Amino acid sequence: MKKIAVITSGGDCPGMNAAIRATVRVALAHGVEVWGIKNGYAGMIAGDMTVLDSRSVGDIIQKGGTFLGTARSEEFKTLPGRQQAVANLEKRGIEGLVVIGGEGSLTGAKHLSELGIKFVGLPGTIDNDIWGTDYTIGFDTAVNTALDAINKLRDTASAHGRVMLVEVMGRDCGWIALTAGLAGGAEFILIPEAPFNQEEICRQLLASRAKGKQYSIIVIAEGAGSAMSLGQYIRTKAGLETRVSVLGHIQRGGAPTVSDRILASRLAETAVRLLLEGKTDIMIGYRNNQCVEVPIADAVGKKKDIDPELYRLAGVLSQ
Ligand SMILES: Nc1ncnc2c1ncn2[C@@H]1O[C@H](COP(=O)(O)OP(=O)(O)O)[C@@H](O)[C@H]1O
Ligand SMILES: O=P(O)(O)OC[C@H]1O[C@](O)(COP(=O)(O)O)[C@@H](O)[C@@H]1O
Ligand SMILES: [Mg+2]
C-alpha cells in the first residue's frame, strides 16, 4: 500500500487532531503518502482532499475539534453516494483509510470496504459508547469538562441550598453522566441504562434534607430525559428550589487531556501499522492498557454497557 487517507467523521471530539497527526507521521515514517479528507464523508463524496506532510499536522496536538473538519452526511448512507466517494479515492490511487469517528462513521466505513477500500477505524466520540474499547478518544476530556462544571455548580448550589440539575451529553448512553457524576459527588446520576422514577427522586431528596443535607446535585444524561422538565417536576412536587444547567457542546471542545492525546497517538500508530500489513474491517480498541484489534462487526454491532460497578459505587457514596 503506497497511498492512504485519513478522515474524521460524525461528532468531533478532543483528540481527533492528535490522531490525525500520529496517522500522518507514522505513515510518512513507513514511506507512505497520506491524504487528508476534508469534512468527513461529505468531503469524500465531493472529492475534497489534499496531501498532508509532516508540517501540515504541526501545532494541532493541543487543539480540540478537527482541523480536517467533519460532517454528518446523509448522502453517504446511499450506495450512489458511496460509489462516488470510492471513485474519488481510486482516482488518486488511495487504497486504504484510517477512519476516526463514532459508531455511525465506523458503520459507514464497513459499507465502504464492501466496495473495495480497506480501512482501520479508531473510536472517536466523547460518548464512550463503542464496544471493544475501554475508552474512546475524547471521552476523558469531555468528562473533565463536565466535572469542572459540576464543581462550580456545587459552590453556588451549596450557597443557596438548591437542587442543581446538570444535563450532560450522551445520546443513548450514560458514560459521561456516570463518570462525571461519580467524580463530582452527585446525589443522583440518571442514565438511559437505568430507569428512574421521578416521584421516588422527590421522596429521597426530601428524606436527605430531613437528615441534614443542605443541597443536592443531580447529573442527568441527555438520553435519559430532560433536566429542564425534571427540575420543573421537583420544584412542583417536592417544593424544593431547583436550577438547571444544560452543558451542551461545551463538552465537545477544548484542549485534549494527556490521556486523550496519548490514547489517540497510540491507537493511530497501531491502525497505520495494521493497515499497511493489509488488514481491513477492524477497529483499534484500548483494553487493559493495550491496543487491541476489534472486528468491525463487533465494534458497531454490539452494545457497550456502562460499568455496573461504577454505578453501584455511585449509589453507595451518594448516601
Ligand atoms: N448505516 C450507515 N451507512 C453508511 N454510512 C453511515 C451509516 N451510519 C452512519 N454513516 C455515516 O457516518 C456519518 C457519521 O455518523 P453519526 O452517527 O452521525 O456520527 P458518529 O460517527 O459520531 O457516531 C453519517 O453522517 C453517515 O455519513
Ligand atoms: O452536534 P450534534 O450533531 O448536535 O450531535 C450531538 C450529539 O453528538 C454527541 O456529542 C457525540 O455523539 P457522536 O460521537 O455519535 O456524534 C452526543 O453526545 C450528542 O447527542
Ligand atoms: Mg455516535
Side-chain angles (χ1 to χ4, degrees), residues 126 139-153 166-169 175-181 183-184 217 219 247-248 250-253:
I126 63 164
F139 170 68
D140 187 64
T141 308
V143 285
N144 276 288
T145 301
L147 178 62
D148 183 52
I150 293 167
N151 289 340
K152 287 171 176 158
L153 291 167
V166 191
E167 184 178 307
V168 298
M169 275 186 162
W175 272 99
I176 296 177
L178 176 55
T179 310
I217 309 269
V219 177
L247 298 189
I250 295 262
Q251 293 159 98
R252 285 245 295 266

PDB file of all heavy atoms in Angstrom, residues 126 139-153 166-169 175-181 183-184 217 219 247-248 250-253:
ATOM      1  N   ILE A 126     -17.019  11.529  22.144  1.00  0.00           N
ATOM      2  CA  ILE A 126     -16.999  11.830  23.586  1.00  0.00           C
ATOM      3  C   ILE A 126     -17.892  10.867  24.364  1.00  0.00           C
ATOM      4  O   ILE A 126     -17.771  10.752  25.575  1.00  0.00           O
ATOM      5  CB  ILE A 126     -17.432  13.281  23.889  1.00  0.00           C
ATOM      6  CG1 ILE A 126     -18.877  13.540  23.456  1.00  0.00           C
ATOM      7  CG2 ILE A 126     -16.471  14.276  23.269  1.00  0.00           C
ATOM      8  CD1 ILE A 126     -19.470  14.808  24.060  1.00  0.00           C
ATOM      9  N   PHE A 139     -13.401  11.104  25.284  1.00  0.00           N
ATOM     10  CA  PHE A 139     -14.231  10.896  26.471  1.00  0.00           C
ATOM     11  C   PHE A 139     -13.586  11.525  27.715  1.00  0.00           C
ATOM     12  O   PHE A 139     -14.245  12.224  28.494  1.00  0.00           O
ATOM     13  CB  PHE A 139     -14.449   9.391  26.675  1.00  0.00           C
ATOM     14  CG  PHE A 139     -15.089   9.019  27.978  1.00  0.00           C
ATOM     15  CD1 PHE A 139     -16.406   9.359  28.249  1.00  0.00           C
ATOM     16  CD2 PHE A 139     -14.367   8.324  28.945  1.00  0.00           C
ATOM     17  CE1 PHE A 139     -17.005   9.012  29.458  1.00  0.00           C
ATOM     18  CE2 PHE A 139     -14.957   7.972  30.155  1.00  0.00           C
ATOM     19  CZ  PHE A 139     -16.268   8.320  30.417  1.00  0.00           C
ATOM     20  N   ASP A 140     -12.307  11.293  27.898  1.00  0.00           N
ATOM     21  CA  ASP A 140     -11.638  11.799  29.108  1.00  0.00           C
ATOM     22  C   ASP A 140     -11.712  13.329  29.175  1.00  0.00           C
ATOM     23  O   ASP A 140     -11.987  13.902  30.230  1.00  0.00           O
ATOM     24  CB  ASP A 140     -10.175  11.333  29.137  1.00  0.00           C
ATOM     25  CG  ASP A 140      -9.503  11.699  30.454  1.00  0.00           C
ATOM     26  OD1 ASP A 140      -9.928  11.175  31.500  1.00  0.00           O
ATOM     27  OD2 ASP A 140      -8.586  12.546  30.446  1.00  0.00           O
ATOM     28  N   THR A 141     -11.488  13.980  28.049  1.00  0.00           N
ATOM     29  CA  THR A 141     -11.563  15.449  28.026  1.00  0.00           C
ATOM     30  C   THR A 141     -12.985  15.909  28.351  1.00  0.00           C
ATOM     31  O   THR A 141     -13.188  16.836  29.149  1.00  0.00           O
ATOM     32  CB  THR A 141     -11.141  15.990  26.643  1.00  0.00           C
ATOM     33  OG1 THR A 141      -9.877  15.434  26.306  1.00  0.00           O
ATOM     34  CG2 THR A 141     -11.052  17.511  26.653  1.00  0.00           C
ATOM     35  N   ALA A 142     -13.967  15.248  27.742  1.00  0.00           N
ATOM     36  CA  ALA A 142     -15.365  15.648  27.950  1.00  0.00           C
ATOM     37  C   ALA A 142     -15.781  15.474  29.415  1.00  0.00           C
ATOM     38  O   ALA A 142     -16.436  16.351  29.985  1.00  0.00           O
ATOM     39  CB  ALA A 142     -16.284  14.835  27.036  1.00  0.00           C
ATOM     40  N   VAL A 143     -15.391  14.365  30.030  1.00  0.00           N
ATOM     41  CA  VAL A 143     -15.813  14.186  31.433  1.00  0.00           C
ATOM     42  C   VAL A 143     -15.105  15.179  32.340  1.00  0.00           C
ATOM     43  O   VAL A 143     -15.673  15.624  33.344  1.00  0.00           O
ATOM     44  CB  VAL A 143     -15.620  12.750  31.990  1.00  0.00           C
ATOM     45  CG1 VAL A 143     -16.657  11.810  31.439  1.00  0.00           C
ATOM     46  CG2 VAL A 143     -14.253  12.212  31.789  1.00  0.00           C
ATOM     47  N   ASN A 144     -13.882  15.537  31.995  1.00  0.00           N
ATOM     48  CA  ASN A 144     -13.199  16.548  32.805  1.00  0.00           C
ATOM     49  C   ASN A 144     -13.852  17.915  32.660  1.00  0.00           C
ATOM     50  O   ASN A 144     -13.925  18.677  33.632  1.00  0.00           O
ATOM     51  CB  ASN A 144     -11.703  16.592  32.470  1.00  0.00           C
ATOM     52  CG  ASN A 144     -10.945  15.523  33.241  1.00  0.00           C
ATOM     53  OD1 ASN A 144     -10.773  15.636  34.458  1.00  0.00           O
ATOM     54  ND2 ASN A 144     -10.533  14.462  32.568  1.00  0.00           N
ATOM     55  N   THR A 145     -14.337  18.219  31.470  1.00  0.00           N
ATOM     56  CA  THR A 145     -15.072  19.471  31.264  1.00  0.00           C
ATOM     57  C   THR A 145     -16.370  19.448  32.071  1.00  0.00           C
ATOM     58  O   THR A 145     -16.722  20.433  32.747  1.00  0.00           O
ATOM     59  CB  THR A 145     -15.386  19.677  29.768  1.00  0.00           C
ATOM     60  OG1 THR A 145     -14.153  19.704  29.055  1.00  0.00           O
ATOM     61  CG2 THR A 145     -16.152  20.965  29.525  1.00  0.00           C
ATOM     62  N   ALA A 146     -17.079  18.325  32.006  1.00  0.00           N
ATOM     63  CA  ALA A 146     -18.338  18.203  32.757  1.00  0.00           C
ATOM     64  C   ALA A 146     -18.059  18.294  34.263  1.00  0.00           C
ATOM     65  O   ALA A 146     -18.802  18.953  35.008  1.00  0.00           O
ATOM     66  CB  ALA A 146     -19.028  16.885  32.416  1.00  0.00           C
ATOM     67  N   LEU A 147     -16.984  17.672  34.692  1.00  0.00           N
ATOM     68  CA  LEU A 147     -16.644  17.699  36.125  1.00  0.00           C
ATOM     69  C   LEU A 147     -16.330  19.120  36.596  1.00  0.00           C
ATOM     70  O   LEU A 147     -16.754  19.535  37.678  1.00  0.00           O
ATOM     71  CB  LEU A 147     -15.436  16.784  36.391  1.00  0.00           C
ATOM     72  CG  LEU A 147     -14.949  16.745  37.833  1.00  0.00           C
ATOM     73  CD1 LEU A 147     -16.029  16.197  38.760  1.00  0.00           C
ATOM     74  CD2 LEU A 147     -13.668  15.915  37.949  1.00  0.00           C
ATOM     75  N   ASP A 148     -15.616  19.852  35.768  1.00  0.00           N
ATOM     76  CA  ASP A 148     -15.293  21.244  36.104  1.00  0.00           C
ATOM     77  C   ASP A 148     -16.584  22.045  36.314  1.00  0.00           C
ATOM     78  O   ASP A 148     -16.713  22.828  37.262  1.00  0.00           O
ATOM     79  CB  ASP A 148     -14.443  21.837  34.971  1.00  0.00           C
ATOM     80  CG  ASP A 148     -14.011  23.252  35.267  1.00  0.00           C
ATOM     81  OD1 ASP A 148     -13.464  23.484  36.348  1.00  0.00           O
ATOM     82  OD2 ASP A 148     -14.256  24.133  34.415  1.00  0.00           O
ATOM     83  N   ALA A 149     -17.557  21.804  35.439  1.00  0.00           N
ATOM     84  CA  ALA A 149     -18.848  22.498  35.571  1.00  0.00           C
ATOM     85  C   ALA A 149     -19.562  22.072  36.858  1.00  0.00           C
ATOM     86  O   ALA A 149     -20.109  22.908  37.584  1.00  0.00           O
ATOM     87  CB  ALA A 149     -19.720  22.199  34.347  1.00  0.00           C
ATOM     88  N   ILE A 150     -19.552  20.786  37.138  1.00  0.00           N
ATOM     89  CA  ILE A 150     -20.228  20.286  38.351  1.00  0.00           C
ATOM     90  C   ILE A 150     -19.589  20.900  39.602  1.00  0.00           C
ATOM     91  O   ILE A 150     -20.279  21.328  40.536  1.00  0.00           O
ATOM     92  CB  ILE A 150     -20.182  18.736  38.405  1.00  0.00           C
ATOM     93  CG1 ILE A 150     -21.036  18.145  37.266  1.00  0.00           C
ATOM     94  CG2 ILE A 150     -20.660  18.206  39.759  1.00  0.00           C
ATOM     95  CD1 ILE A 150     -20.825  16.658  37.026  1.00  0.00           C
ATOM     96  N   ASN A 151     -18.261  20.966  39.621  1.00  0.00           N
ATOM     97  CA  ASN A 151     -17.563  21.571  40.765  1.00  0.00           C
ATOM     98  C   ASN A 151     -18.040  23.006  40.989  1.00  0.00           C
ATOM     99  O   ASN A 151     -18.289  23.433  42.117  1.00  0.00           O
ATOM    100  CB  ASN A 151     -16.051  21.599  40.523  1.00  0.00           C
ATOM    101  CG  ASN A 151     -15.424  20.216  40.597  1.00  0.00           C
ATOM    102  OD1 ASN A 151     -16.006  19.300  41.169  1.00  0.00           O
ATOM    103  ND2 ASN A 151     -14.258  20.059  40.011  1.00  0.00           N
ATOM    104  N   LYS A 152     -18.155  23.747  39.908  1.00  0.00           N
ATOM    105  CA  LYS A 152     -18.568  25.153  40.024  1.00  0.00           C
ATOM    106  C   LYS A 152     -20.025  25.257  40.450  1.00  0.00           C
ATOM    107  O   LYS A 152     -20.395  26.112  41.280  1.00  0.00           O
ATOM    108  CB  LYS A 152     -18.344  25.874  38.689  1.00  0.00           C
ATOM    109  CG  LYS A 152     -16.863  26.118  38.446  1.00  0.00           C
ATOM    110  CD  LYS A 152     -16.557  26.622  37.061  1.00  0.00           C
ATOM    111  CE  LYS A 152     -15.059  26.909  36.976  1.00  0.00           C
ATOM    112  NZ  LYS A 152     -14.542  26.908  35.632  1.00  0.00           N
ATOM    113  N   LEU A 153     -20.862  24.389  39.888  1.00  0.00           N
ATOM    114  CA  LEU A 153     -22.291  24.421  40.238  1.00  0.00           C
ATOM    115  C   LEU A 153     -22.493  24.031  41.703  1.00  0.00           C
ATOM    116  O   LEU A 153     -23.416  24.516  42.368  1.00  0.00           O
ATOM    117  CB  LEU A 153     -23.075  23.493  39.303  1.00  0.00           C
ATOM    118  CG  LEU A 153     -23.131  24.002  37.855  1.00  0.00           C
ATOM    119  CD1 LEU A 153     -23.626  22.908  36.916  1.00  0.00           C
ATOM    120  CD2 LEU A 153     -24.029  25.238  37.749  1.00  0.00           C
ATOM    121  N   VAL A 166     -27.815  19.050  36.367  1.00  0.00           N
ATOM    122  CA  VAL A 166     -26.829  19.251  35.311  1.00  0.00           C
ATOM    123  C   VAL A 166     -27.071  18.222  34.215  1.00  0.00           C
ATOM    124  O   VAL A 166     -26.963  17.016  34.458  1.00  0.00           O
ATOM    125  CB  VAL A 166     -25.382  19.059  35.837  1.00  0.00           C
ATOM    126  CG1 VAL A 166     -24.373  19.531  34.799  1.00  0.00           C
ATOM    127  CG2 VAL A 166     -25.179  19.769  37.158  1.00  0.00           C
ATOM    128  N   GLU A 167     -27.422  18.706  33.021  1.00  0.00           N
ATOM    129  CA  GLU A 167     -27.632  17.773  31.899  1.00  0.00           C
ATOM    130  C   GLU A 167     -26.354  17.676  31.080  1.00  0.00           C
ATOM    131  O   GLU A 167     -25.831  18.687  30.621  1.00  0.00           O
ATOM    132  CB  GLU A 167     -28.794  18.253  31.019  1.00  0.00           C
ATOM    133  CG  GLU A 167     -29.131  17.269  29.893  1.00  0.00           C
ATOM    134  CD  GLU A 167     -30.313  17.751  29.062  1.00  0.00           C
ATOM    135  OE1 GLU A 167     -31.381  18.064  29.631  1.00  0.00           O
ATOM    136  OE2 GLU A 167     -30.149  17.821  27.827  1.00  0.00           O
ATOM    137  N   VAL A 168     -25.858  16.464  30.935  1.00  0.00           N
ATOM    138  CA  VAL A 168     -24.629  16.250  30.168  1.00  0.00           C
ATOM    139  C   VAL A 168     -24.954  15.489  28.883  1.00  0.00           C
ATOM    140  O   VAL A 168     -26.040  14.945  28.733  1.00  0.00           O
ATOM    141  CB  VAL A 168     -23.562  15.484  30.989  1.00  0.00           C
ATOM    142  CG1 VAL A 168     -23.151  16.279  32.224  1.00  0.00           C
ATOM    143  CG2 VAL A 168     -24.046  14.092  31.380  1.00  0.00           C
ATOM    144  N   MET A 169     -23.978  15.424  27.962  1.00  0.00           N
ATOM    145  CA  MET A 169     -24.214  14.730  26.688  1.00  0.00           C
ATOM    146  C   MET A 169     -24.211  13.218  26.880  1.00  0.00           C
ATOM    147  O   MET A 169     -23.830  12.707  27.934  1.00  0.00           O
ATOM    148  CB  MET A 169     -23.180  15.160  25.655  1.00  0.00           C
ATOM    149  CG  MET A 169     -23.570  16.430  24.935  1.00  0.00           C
ATOM    150  SD  MET A 169     -22.423  16.836  23.610  1.00  0.00           S
ATOM    151  CE  MET A 169     -23.433  17.991  22.674  1.00  0.00           C
ATOM    152  N   TRP A 175     -22.344   7.074  29.936  1.00  0.00           N
ATOM    153  CA  TRP A 175     -20.941   7.067  30.393  1.00  0.00           C
ATOM    154  C   TRP A 175     -20.480   8.415  30.926  1.00  0.00           C
ATOM    155  O   TRP A 175     -19.805   8.485  31.948  1.00  0.00           O
ATOM    156  CB  TRP A 175     -20.016   6.619  29.255  1.00  0.00           C
ATOM    157  CG  TRP A 175     -19.848   5.137  29.212  1.00  0.00           C
ATOM    158  CD1 TRP A 175     -20.488   4.248  28.396  1.00  0.00           C
ATOM    159  CD2 TRP A 175     -18.998   4.359  30.061  1.00  0.00           C
ATOM    160  NE1 TRP A 175     -20.080   2.971  28.690  1.00  0.00           N
ATOM    161  CE2 TRP A 175     -19.168   2.999  29.693  1.00  0.00           C
ATOM    162  CE3 TRP A 175     -18.104   4.670  31.087  1.00  0.00           C
ATOM    163  CZ2 TRP A 175     -18.476   1.964  30.322  1.00  0.00           C
ATOM    164  CZ3 TRP A 175     -17.414   3.628  31.705  1.00  0.00           C
ATOM    165  CH2 TRP A 175     -17.608   2.308  31.333  1.00  0.00           C
ATOM    166  N   ILE A 176     -20.809   9.490  30.224  1.00  0.00           N
ATOM    167  CA  ILE A 176     -20.345  10.810  30.676  1.00  0.00           C
ATOM    168  C   ILE A 176     -21.009  11.138  32.009  1.00  0.00           C
ATOM    169  O   ILE A 176     -20.349  11.562  32.966  1.00  0.00           O
ATOM    170  CB  ILE A 176     -20.636  11.909  29.625  1.00  0.00           C
ATOM    171  CG1 ILE A 176     -19.842  11.640  28.350  1.00  0.00           C
ATOM    172  CG2 ILE A 176     -20.301  13.300  30.175  1.00  0.00           C
ATOM    173  CD1 ILE A 176     -20.115  12.629  27.222  1.00  0.00           C
ATOM    174  N   ALA A 177     -22.321  10.912  32.081  1.00  0.00           N
ATOM    175  CA  ALA A 177     -23.056  11.231  33.314  1.00  0.00           C
ATOM    176  C   ALA A 177     -22.524  10.419  34.487  1.00  0.00           C
ATOM    177  O   ALA A 177     -22.280  10.958  35.579  1.00  0.00           O
ATOM    178  CB  ALA A 177     -24.545  10.955  33.110  1.00  0.00           C
ATOM    179  N   LEU A 178     -22.332   9.130  34.269  1.00  0.00           N
ATOM    180  CA  LEU A 178     -21.891   8.267  35.364  1.00  0.00           C
ATOM    181  C   LEU A 178     -20.499   8.652  35.854  1.00  0.00           C
ATOM    182  O   LEU A 178     -20.253   8.763  37.062  1.00  0.00           O
ATOM    183  CB  LEU A 178     -21.918   6.799  34.891  1.00  0.00           C
ATOM    184  CG  LEU A 178     -21.402   5.759  35.884  1.00  0.00           C
ATOM    185  CD1 LEU A 178     -22.129   5.850  37.215  1.00  0.00           C
ATOM    186  CD2 LEU A 178     -21.549   4.354  35.302  1.00  0.00           C
ATOM    187  N   THR A 179     -19.598   8.871  34.919  1.00  0.00           N
ATOM    188  CA  THR A 179     -18.209   9.131  35.300  1.00  0.00           C
ATOM    189  C   THR A 179     -18.059  10.514  35.933  1.00  0.00           C
ATOM    190  O   THR A 179     -17.445  10.660  37.002  1.00  0.00           O
ATOM    191  CB  THR A 179     -17.296   8.991  34.060  1.00  0.00           C
ATOM    192  OG1 THR A 179     -17.596   7.744  33.429  1.00  0.00           O
ATOM    193  CG2 THR A 179     -15.838   9.031  34.446  1.00  0.00           C
ATOM    194  N   ALA A 180     -18.631  11.521  35.297  1.00  0.00           N
ATOM    195  CA  ALA A 180     -18.521  12.881  35.856  1.00  0.00           C
ATOM    196  C   ALA A 180     -19.340  12.977  37.151  1.00  0.00           C
ATOM    197  O   ALA A 180     -18.935  13.661  38.105  1.00  0.00           O
ATOM    198  CB  ALA A 180     -19.006  13.912  34.842  1.00  0.00           C
ATOM    199  N   GLY A 181     -20.484  12.294  37.198  1.00  0.00           N
ATOM    200  CA  GLY A 181     -21.324  12.327  38.399  1.00  0.00           C
ATOM    201  C   GLY A 181     -20.657  11.658  39.579  1.00  0.00           C
ATOM    202  O   GLY A 181     -20.700  12.173  40.709  1.00  0.00           O
ATOM    203  N   ALA A 183     -17.361  11.225  39.975  1.00  0.00           N
ATOM    204  CA  ALA A 183     -16.214  12.062  40.369  1.00  0.00           C
ATOM    205  C   ALA A 183     -16.669  13.364  41.019  1.00  0.00           C
ATOM    206  O   ALA A 183     -15.957  13.927  41.861  1.00  0.00           O
ATOM    207  CB  ALA A 183     -15.355  12.362  39.143  1.00  0.00           C
ATOM    208  N   GLY A 184     -17.847  13.833  40.625  1.00  0.00           N
ATOM    209  CA  GLY A 184     -18.338  15.115  41.154  1.00  0.00           C
ATOM    210  C   GLY A 184     -19.215  14.963  42.392  1.00  0.00           C
ATOM    211  O   GLY A 184     -19.725  15.959  42.917  1.00  0.00           O
ATOM    212  N   ILE A 217     -26.979  17.683  44.091  1.00  0.00           N
ATOM    213  CA  ILE A 217     -26.552  17.734  42.684  1.00  0.00           C
ATOM    214  C   ILE A 217     -27.149  16.523  41.977  1.00  0.00           C
ATOM    215  O   ILE A 217     -26.988  15.386  42.430  1.00  0.00           O
ATOM    216  CB  ILE A 217     -25.011  17.620  42.546  1.00  0.00           C
ATOM    217  CG1 ILE A 217     -24.275  18.619  43.444  1.00  0.00           C
ATOM    218  CG2 ILE A 217     -24.588  17.700  41.083  1.00  0.00           C
ATOM    219  CD1 ILE A 217     -23.958  19.922  42.834  1.00  0.00           C
ATOM    220  N   VAL A 219     -27.062  14.726  38.253  1.00  0.00           N
ATOM    221  CA  VAL A 219     -26.488  14.707  36.907  1.00  0.00           C
ATOM    222  C   VAL A 219     -27.358  13.804  36.046  1.00  0.00           C
ATOM    223  O   VAL A 219     -27.654  12.661  36.418  1.00  0.00           O
ATOM    224  CB  VAL A 219     -25.027  14.200  36.928  1.00  0.00           C
ATOM    225  CG1 VAL A 219     -24.473  14.108  35.505  1.00  0.00           C
ATOM    226  CG2 VAL A 219     -24.150  15.120  37.766  1.00  0.00           C
ATOM    227  N   LEU A 247     -25.251  21.490  29.735  1.00  0.00           N
ATOM    228  CA  LEU A 247     -23.859  21.815  29.356  1.00  0.00           C
ATOM    229  C   LEU A 247     -23.646  21.834  27.846  1.00  0.00           C
ATOM    230  O   LEU A 247     -22.837  22.611  27.345  1.00  0.00           O
ATOM    231  CB  LEU A 247     -22.881  20.847  30.007  1.00  0.00           C
ATOM    232  CG  LEU A 247     -22.860  20.850  31.538  1.00  0.00           C
ATOM    233  CD1 LEU A 247     -21.700  20.009  32.048  1.00  0.00           C
ATOM    234  CD2 LEU A 247     -22.760  22.262  32.114  1.00  0.00           C
ATOM    235  N   GLY A 248     -24.313  20.960  27.116  1.00  0.00           N
ATOM    236  CA  GLY A 248     -24.259  21.004  25.652  1.00  0.00           C
ATOM    237  C   GLY A 248     -22.863  20.886  25.061  1.00  0.00           C
ATOM    238  O   GLY A 248     -22.003  20.172  25.596  1.00  0.00           O
ATOM    239  N   ILE A 250     -20.248  22.600  24.927  1.00  0.00           N
ATOM    240  CA  ILE A 250     -19.036  22.925  25.699  1.00  0.00           C
ATOM    241  C   ILE A 250     -18.226  21.643  25.912  1.00  0.00           C
ATOM    242  O   ILE A 250     -16.992  21.651  25.883  1.00  0.00           O
ATOM    243  CB  ILE A 250     -19.454  23.470  27.095  1.00  0.00           C
ATOM    244  CG1 ILE A 250     -20.185  24.782  26.965  1.00  0.00           C
ATOM    245  CG2 ILE A 250     -18.270  23.534  28.046  1.00  0.00           C
ATOM    246  CD1 ILE A 250     -19.342  25.997  27.201  1.00  0.00           C
ATOM    247  N   GLN A 251     -18.958  20.547  26.117  1.00  0.00           N
ATOM    248  CA  GLN A 251     -18.302  19.261  26.416  1.00  0.00           C
ATOM    249  C   GLN A 251     -17.547  18.691  25.227  1.00  0.00           C
ATOM    250  O   GLN A 251     -16.763  17.758  25.377  1.00  0.00           O
ATOM    251  CB  GLN A 251     -19.358  18.220  26.833  1.00  0.00           C
ATOM    252  CG  GLN A 251     -20.022  18.542  28.129  1.00  0.00           C
ATOM    253  CD  GLN A 251     -21.371  17.833  28.257  1.00  0.00           C
ATOM    254  OE1 GLN A 251     -21.463  16.794  28.893  1.00  0.00           O
ATOM    255  NE2 GLN A 251     -22.408  18.384  27.651  1.00  0.00           N
ATOM    256  N   ARG A 252     -17.818  19.196  24.043  1.00  0.00           N
ATOM    257  CA  ARG A 252     -17.150  18.635  22.864  1.00  0.00           C
ATOM    258  C   ARG A 252     -15.857  19.367  22.517  1.00  0.00           C
ATOM    259  O   ARG A 252     -15.096  18.899  21.662  1.00  0.00           O
ATOM    260  CB  ARG A 252     -18.103  18.664  21.661  1.00  0.00           C
ATOM    261  CG  ARG A 252     -19.196  17.623  21.690  1.00  0.00           C
ATOM    262  CD  ARG A 252     -19.044  16.619  20.559  1.00  0.00           C
ATOM    263  NE  ARG A 252     -19.217  17.223  19.269  1.00  0.00           N
ATOM    264  CZ  ARG A 252     -20.386  17.260  18.606  1.00  0.00           C
ATOM    265  NH1 ARG A 252     -21.458  16.713  19.119  1.00  0.00           N
ATOM    266  NH2 ARG A 252     -20.456  17.817  17.426  1.00  0.00           N
ATOM    267  N   GLY A 253     -15.628  20.529  23.161  1.00  0.00           N
ATOM    268  CA  GLY A 253     -14.473  21.327  22.767  1.00  0.00           C
ATOM    269  C   GLY A 253     -13.347  21.302  23.782  1.00  0.00           C
ATOM    270  O   GLY A 253     -13.394  20.587  24.768  1.00  0.00           O
TER     271      GLY A 253
END
